[in-house]
């Protein structure tokens, strides 16, 4: 059945574009405008910086030294500190992109890339505060409650998933992987350069791994590769945003008299348009709030496709990611409901 959905959906989109060329042009223009004004200027610089950081490895030793402090907060190995933090700060889908780059550089396993991608693939605080909070929650809740409803579910579920991941690897989990080496004279540096480096499957968390790329001096080739790769990613994002805008416009043309269901469908398709529709609803504040947090934590079909694309070649399982996001959506809705009752 699932193999028939995409051809049917594609046929509907082609027929719609042929039947309504003016609306098609307006939808595409709207999607491109969203990409040009919001996505490109906010994500492209960080995408370039991140690509250069991963390719050159200039901060690898810094994250190794940061690990003893960071592990108290969250149980990830040192190469995963950067994607975890950057994913929350810089915005979706940069967390997944960095995880994919780290995997291709041989610094993390496929299971680690998938797990941390689920956790870090979030919308940045700038989007949540400037768009979500100001439009829907400013007079209802404090900003930290909205951020908590969006960020706590992936952090809590991700901690459970990472615990299971490293526990499944047996004695080669976090404690063994780091404390054994920290007691040696070589220290953490041997994780990358010694006989127990990360390409040793006996001392590496479960999942497919690649031979690690050695640290390289920052040069023009790395900069060129980082810029080229980042623009390729941005163009891919533009394509998915355009397709999502078209599908959202098709949904708007469906003769459905229930604006709540229509807004929900658009939000599941693409978040920005969905939030705009939810804001205009005449429903109760609690319903609008839960819907908004639900679709933001879910990420939308557009976000799902973008993540799938940037994670290609890593052994990424899209169904696991989808289940994770659905659980985050449900927990976030419960949290925002509780916050509304308390406030």
């Amino acid at each position: 059945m699932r193999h028939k959905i995409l051809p049917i959906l594609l046929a509907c989109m082609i027929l719609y574009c042929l039947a309504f060329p003016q609306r098609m042009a307006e939808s595409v223009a709207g999607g491109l405008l969203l990409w040009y004004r919001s996505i490109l200027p906010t994500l492209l610089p960080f995408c370039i910086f991140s690509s250069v950081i991963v390719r050159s490895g200039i901060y690898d030793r810094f994250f190794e030294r940061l690990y003893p402090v960071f592990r108290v907060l969250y149980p990830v190995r040192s190469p995963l500190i950067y994607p975890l933090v950057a994913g929350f700060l810089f915005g979706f889908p940069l967390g997944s992109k960095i995880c994919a780059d780290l995997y291709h550089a041989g610094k993390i396993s496929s299971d680690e890339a998938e797990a941390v991608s689920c956790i870090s693939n979030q919308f940045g605080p700038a989007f949540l505060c400037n768009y979500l909070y100001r439009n829907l929650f400013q007079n209802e809740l404090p900003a930290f409650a909205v951020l908590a409803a969006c960020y706590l579910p992936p952090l809590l579920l991700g901690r459970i998933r990472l615990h299971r991941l490293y526990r499944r690897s047996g004695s080669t989990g976090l404690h063994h992987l780091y404390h054994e080496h920290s007691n040696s004279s070589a220290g953490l540096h041997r994780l990358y350069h010694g006989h127990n480096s990360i390409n040793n499957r006996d001392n590496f968390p479960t999942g497919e791994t690649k031979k690690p790329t050695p640290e390289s001096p920052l040069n023009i080739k790395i900069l060129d590769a980082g810029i080229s790769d980042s623009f390729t990613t941005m163009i891919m994002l533009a394509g998915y945003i355009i397709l999502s805008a078209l599908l959202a416009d098709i949904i708007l043309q469906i003769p459905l008299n229930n604006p709540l269901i229509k807004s929900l469908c658009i939000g599941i398709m693409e978040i920005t348009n969905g939030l705009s529709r939810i804001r205009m609803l005449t429903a109760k504040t609690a319903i609008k709030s839960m819907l908004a947090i639900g679709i933001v934590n879910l990420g939308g079909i557009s976000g799902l496709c973008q993540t799938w694309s940037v994670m290609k070649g890593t052994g990424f399982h899209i169904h696991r990611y989808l289940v994770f996001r659905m659980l985050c959506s449900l927990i976030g809705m419960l949290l925002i409901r509780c916050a509304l009752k308390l406030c």
Side-chain angles (χ1 to χ4, degrees), residues 288-320:
K288 293 167 63 175
S289 301
M290 292 175 67
L291 283 177
I293 294 297
I295 65 172
V296 166
N297 284 6
L298 184 62
I301 294 177
S302 174
L304 188 71
C305 294
Q306 293 171 32
T307 303
W308 201 353
S309 179
V310 298
M311 290 292 288
K312 60 187 176 185
T314 65
F316 182 72
H317 297 87
I318 193 66
H319 63 279
R320 295 180 187 170

Side-chain angles (χ1 to χ4, degrees), residues 14-291:
I14 293 173
L15 291 174
Y16 178 79
C17 292
L18 293 174
F20 305 99
Q22 183 63 33
R23 295 197 63 89
M24 180 269 294
E26 292 175 356
S27 299
V28 171
L32 281 174
L33 196 62
L34 172 65
W35 173 79
Y36 177 73
R37 286 185 173 179
S38 301
I39 307 299
L40 187 65
T42 56
L43 279 187
L44 180 59
F46 294 117
C47 194
I48 294 174
F49 300 153
S50 297
S51 183
V52 171
I53 287 171
V54 172
R55 290 170 186 270
S56 64
I58 55 177
Y59 293 133
D60 285 355
R61 295 184 183 180
F62 168 75
F63 290 123
E64 289 173 10
R65 290 175 172 84
L66 183 63
Y67 167 76
V69 177
F70 194 86
R71 71 178 181 186
V72 177
L73 302 175
Y74 215 75
V76 292
R77 299 192 304 112
S78 62
L80 294 164
I81 294 176
Y82 179 63
L84 188 65
V85 175
F88 281 93
L89 293 180
F90 301 157
F92 178 92
L94 207 54
S96 291
K97 179 66 171 62
I98 299 171
C99 287
D101 289 343
L102 285 169
Y103 170 77
H104 293 304
K107 297 179 179 180
I108 62 175
S109 72
S110 58
D111 283 349
E112 286 179 307
E114 182 179 302
V116 176
S117 173
C118 292
I119 303 166
S120 64
N121 214 26
Q122 308 298 326
F123 292 94
F127 172 83
L128 295 178
C129 292
N130 295 331
Y131 195 88
L132 177 64
Y133 175 71
R134 287 186 179 180
N135 288 330
L136 287 166
F137 296 101
Q138 191 163 12
N139 298 322
E140 305 294 337
L141 289 172
F144 75 86
V146 177
L147 293 175
C150 294
Y151 290 155
L152 277 181
L155 287 172
L156 294 174
L157 291 175
R159 192 179 185 92
I160 296 172
R161 181 164 182 177
L162 285 169
H163 176 74
R164 294 177 62 187
L165 169 64
Y166 290 117
R167 186 177 181 181
R168 190 168 68 244
S169 62
S171 61
T172 61
L174 282 174
H175 181 84
H176 174 80
L177 188 61
Y178 279 94
H179 290 280
E180 178 183 284
H181 295 286
S182 62
N183 291 330
S184 67
S185 59
L188 293 175
H189 184 66
R190 294 180 62 191
L191 284 171
Y192 294 93
H193 303 285
H195 68 280
N196 286 321
S197 62
I198 62 171
N199 61 325
N200 186 339
R201 293 176 185 269
D202 293 334
N203 281 337
F204 205 69
T206 56
E208 181 187 352
T209 62
K210 289 188 174 184
K211 185 177 180 180
T213 303
E215 182 178 334
S216 303
L218 187 59
N219 54 47
I220 193 66
K221 290 184 178 180
I222 290 178
L223 287 173
D224 286 346
I227 292 171
S228 176
D229 181 60
S230 298
F231 268 97
T232 300
T233 301
M234 290 299 107
I235 295 299
M236 177 273 297
L237 295 182
Y240 283 115
I241 290 172
I242 289 172
L243 292 177
S244 299
L246 275 174
L247 288 172
D249 195 61
I250 292 174
I251 293 173
L252 284 175
Q253 307 312 311
I254 296 175
L256 183 64
N257 294 326
N258 192 322
L260 183 64
I261 296 178
K262 187 174 286 190
S263 299
L264 178 60
C265 292
I266 294 174
I268 291 175
M269 189 61 58
E270 201 278 320
I271 289 175
T272 308
N273 290 326
L275 291 177
S276 299
R277 301 285 302 184
I278 290 173
R279 183 182 59 179
M280 295 184 292
L281 290 175
T282 58
K284 294 180 180 180
T285 300
I287 295 176
K288 293 167 63 175
S289 301
M290 292 175 67
L291 283 177

